[in-house]
Amino acid sequence: MTEEQDKSTPNPSRREFLKNSTIAAASFMIVPRFVLGGKGFIAPSDRLLIAGVGAGGKGQSDIANFYKSGKAEIAFLCDVDDRRSANSRAKFPKAKYYKDWREMFDKESKHFDAVSVSTPDHNHAIITYHAMQLGKHVYVQKPLTHDIWEARLLTEAAKKYKVVTQMGNQGASNDGTRLMSEWYDADLIGDVHTVYCWTNRPVWPQGIAWPSPATEIPKELDWNLWLGTAPKKDYVDKLVPFNWRGWWDYGTGALGDMGCHLVEAPFRVLGLQYVKDVQASVGSVYVDEFKQGHFPESCPPSSHITLTFPKTDKTKGDITMHWMDGGIQPERPNELLASEKFGGEEGNGTLFIGTKGKMYASTYSDAATLLPKALTKSANAPQKWKRVPGGAEGHYAQWVEGCLAGYGKTELSSSFDKAGPLTEALLMANLAVRGHDLNGGQVKLLWDNQAMKVTNFDDVNKYIQRDYPDGFKLKA
């Protein structure tokens, strides 16, 4: 690594982390070239050696699915909570276990090829960026990042470090999103001008006051490591392992949880890239008669967000997208019979409205349907897009295969060049939601994509890039 590169190296530091990661990067060229995905080289064992950061919950299922591909070994496990990681450690007893990903990267970077990141949103970027710096392929749970700046950083870093990337929105590998692309390209519904995406999330508490500190931190949990890039706070009950999603310091609300699943299809079908403007209305919380609660640390209980995307080479004009969460759904299409159910499984769905017709799908783009429903069986559109073996479940094996093949050899369903812009759009929508706490609820936010800022309401721009605490610095 050159001196110039060293100056731009992020610092997630324990005291020695920057020094050690620089040494690891400098010595990387002596590692077998299959780690870099070099031309003509494959792993001697034909196995991808994976380090899993986040080994419980979704991390547990991610790791299991990589192993299920038959071409991956789980070489290392890392989790801040021994309770959550217990099942993965039992299933992969040969995998060396760490609590601190920085220590694992320090000591073991020569002994694994790829990193799976399945932590709360606020720690995605720092772990992922450092893995890419070390030449490691990366799989990151959705949303890709917590902040817009981080999403742009990771998108550019994937190209710079030439690593194979995938975001964990597995519906991007389903047949449904490809089928709808083929229907649209065959002009079965005409030009799409409006899209609705909706979810029953949050299914965790939101719109509430920050709880009182707990009396004791569980002995199995390293609370400071869990906080990572977030501001330092006292431990509270029921935040770990799941309810963090409803707090802005850690999560990205319903949009972060389900947006990457539901908005992926419109991005693919319509060729969307970045948001032009966004506005939002949010659900109110009342704590007494005519006394509205104000809880800026927490995401609201529901929201309706309207995003405008510029015309693409697949549309005739701008596209209006409506995002609805908290159980809010769009009006039933007229093409549905009175007794026909509308909406996808578990209260999630995506509806495309075109000049000739409509189509919709549920979570992960399952159950893709033309309206009226009878048209679905008779639809005749040529297959243009290669299917991913196994669909959503094959999303994991696709990444493993891509890593073994090397950078640029295969196309992945949600590589960072796709996942980055998608994540940015969703986080841009969250700026409009957060604007309500800054007296900007009646404002339509205008977005300068190149400058990466809102041009007409500066107060929300502070959420585009966070300040990181000592010990977890991230610098481009």
Side-chain angles (χ1 to χ4, degrees):
M1 179 175 289
T2 66
E3 182 178 354
E4 181 179 354
Q5 288 173 318
D6 189 38
K7 290 179 179 178
S8 66
T9 301
N11 174 22
S13 70
R14 296 176 6 203
R15 181 182 297 270
E16 294 298 320
F17 183 75
L18 176 56
K19 176 182 177 182
N20 291 337
S21 61
T22 302
I23 293 171
S27 62
F28 187 71
M29 292 306 293
I30 67 172
V31 178
R33 285 185 61 196
F34 76 86
V35 178
L36 285 173
K39 184 176 181 180
F41 288 81
I42 60 173
S45 63
D46 240 359
R47 292 289 190 271
L48 186 73
L49 302 179
I50 297 176
V53 182
K58 190 58 184 169
Q60 177 180 328
S61 63
D62 286 344
I63 292 164
N65 276 297
F66 299 138
Y67 184 75
K68 187 179 177 181
S69 73
K71 295 186 177 181
E73 295 290 344
I74 309 306
F76 298 93
L77 293 171
C78 181
D79 202 294
V80 300
D81 191 338
D82 294 342
R83 300 166 301 177
R84 298 288 288 172
S85 63
N87 289 340
S88 291
R89 286 185 285 131
K91 185 170 183 177
F92 303 104
K94 293 182 180 179
K96 191 172 181 180
Y97 178 64
Y98 286 87
K99 272 201 169 184
D100 191 334
W101 62 270
R102 300 168 302 177
E103 181 183 4
M104 183 176 70
F105 283 14
D106 275 351
K107 295 179 178 179
E108 310 290 357
S109 62
K110 292 183 180 180
H111 305 134
F112 57 85
D113 313 313
V115 177
S116 169
V117 180
S118 187
T119 67
D121 302 351
H122 66 291
N123 285 324
H124 283 185
I126 190 170
I127 300 168
T128 304
Y129 191 71
H130 279 281
M132 288 194 288
Q133 269 211 315
L134 294 170
K136 309 304 179 183
H137 308 302
V138 285
Y139 183 103
V140 186
Q141 260 308 319
K142 49 76 192 168
L144 184 60
T145 63
H146 183 275
D147 302 342
I148 295 172
W149 176 83
E150 294 173 335
R152 188 75 58 92
L153 177 71
L154 295 193
T155 303
E156 295 172 350
K159 301 173 186 175
K160 177 179 178 180
Y161 295 109
K162 300 187 185 309
V163 293
V164 178
T165 60
Q166 183 94 298
M167 183 171 70
N169 56 330
Q170 56 268 44
S173 288
N174 254 347
D175 291 356
T177 187
R178 289 158 179 78
L179 181 60
M180 289 189 288
S181 292
E182 290 158 358
W183 288 345
Y184 185 64
D185 291 347
D187 200 33
L188 298 189
I189 65 169
D191 179 59
V192 167
H193 50 80
T194 305
V195 177
Y196 286 88
C197 301
W198 65 96
T199 182
N200 65 343
R201 266 62 162 186
V203 292
W204 53 83
Q206 285 191 185
I208 58 176
W210 182 253
S212 300
T215 56
E216 186 177 1
I217 301 174
K219 65 180 185 302
E220 301 90 347
L221 172 69
D222 189 318
W223 173 241
N224 288 328
L225 282 179
W226 187 92
L227 285 173
T229 65
K232 300 302 180 185
K233 287 186 178 180
D234 291 333
Y235 174 78
V236 297
D237 287 327
K238 296 185 178 181
L239 184 72
V240 178
F242 188 68
N243 289 347
W244 53 266
R245 289 194 175 277
W247 302 98
W248 291 120
D249 278 344
Y250 322 110
T252 46
L255 258 173
D257 183 47
M258 291 304 297
C260 292
H261 293 311
L262 297 168
V263 182
E264 186 276 333
F267 260 68
R268 177 186 294 271
V269 172
L270 305 176
L272 305 181
Q273 281 295 310
Y274 66 92
V275 175
K276 185 177 178 180
D277 58 60
V278 61
Q279 55 188 307
S281 60
V282 302
S284 301
V285 177
Y286 281 81
V287 296
D288 206 341
E289 297 176 4
F290 294 96
K291 184 178 180 182
Q292 187 170 350
H294 180 62
F295 307 118
E297 293 178 297
S298 177
C299 309
S302 60
S303 65
H304 177 190
I305 306 166
T306 305
L307 307 93
T308 305
F309 290 87
K311 176 184 179 299
T312 74
D313 58 5
K314 301 187 72 174
T315 69
K316 293 182 179 179
D318 289 353
I319 303 95
T320 300
M321 179 182 291
H322 296 271
W323 169 268
M324 299 173 169
D325 59 46
I328 303 171
Q329 293 192 5
E331 182 181 359
R332 285 172 54 88
N334 293 331
E335 293 85 352
L336 281 174
L337 301 178
S339 297
E340 289 181 323
K341 292 184 178 180
F342 173 52
E345 298 176 3
E346 301 178 352
N348 306 304
T350 302
L351 171 69
F352 295 79
I353 300 178
T355 53
K356 294 181 180 179
K358 300 170 186 174
M359 62 184 181
Y360 77 92
S362 63
T363 315
Y364 304 159
S365 295
D366 285 332
T369 305
L370 286 166
L371 295 177
K373 288 186 175 182
L375 295 177
T376 306
K377 291 183 179 180
S378 61
N380 184 18
Q383 181 173 325
K384 295 177 58 178
W385 307 107
K386 183 179 179 181
R387 295 335 191 226
V388 177
E393 289 191 3
H395 195 65
Y396 306 91
Q398 184 194 58
W399 177 68
V400 172
E401 296 273 6
C403 294
L404 291 172
Y407 177 77
K409 301 297 178 57
T410 58
E411 182 178 357
L412 276 73
S413 299
S414 196
S415 49
F416 287 3
D417 59 313
K418 304 179 184 75
L422 170 59
T423 300
E424 283 193 36
L426 301 176
L427 298 178
M428 173 61 192
N430 267 342
L431 291 185
V433 174
R434 302 196 74 175
H436 279 261
D437 288 322
L438 302 171
N439 298 316
Q442 304 303 317
V443 175
K444 176 190 287 188
L445 304 184
L446 305 180
W447 180 244
D448 184 330
N449 191 59
Q450 185 172 358
M452 208 160 40
K453 70 176 183 178
V454 172
T455 60
N456 64 324
F457 190 66
D458 189 55
D459 289 356
V460 297
N461 284 324
K462 64 184 178 182
Y463 299 128
I464 292 171
Q465 180 180 356
R466 287 174 291 152
D467 291 326
Y468 301 92
D470 291 340
F472 293 90
K473 296 293 186 183
L474 178 59
K475 299 178 181 178

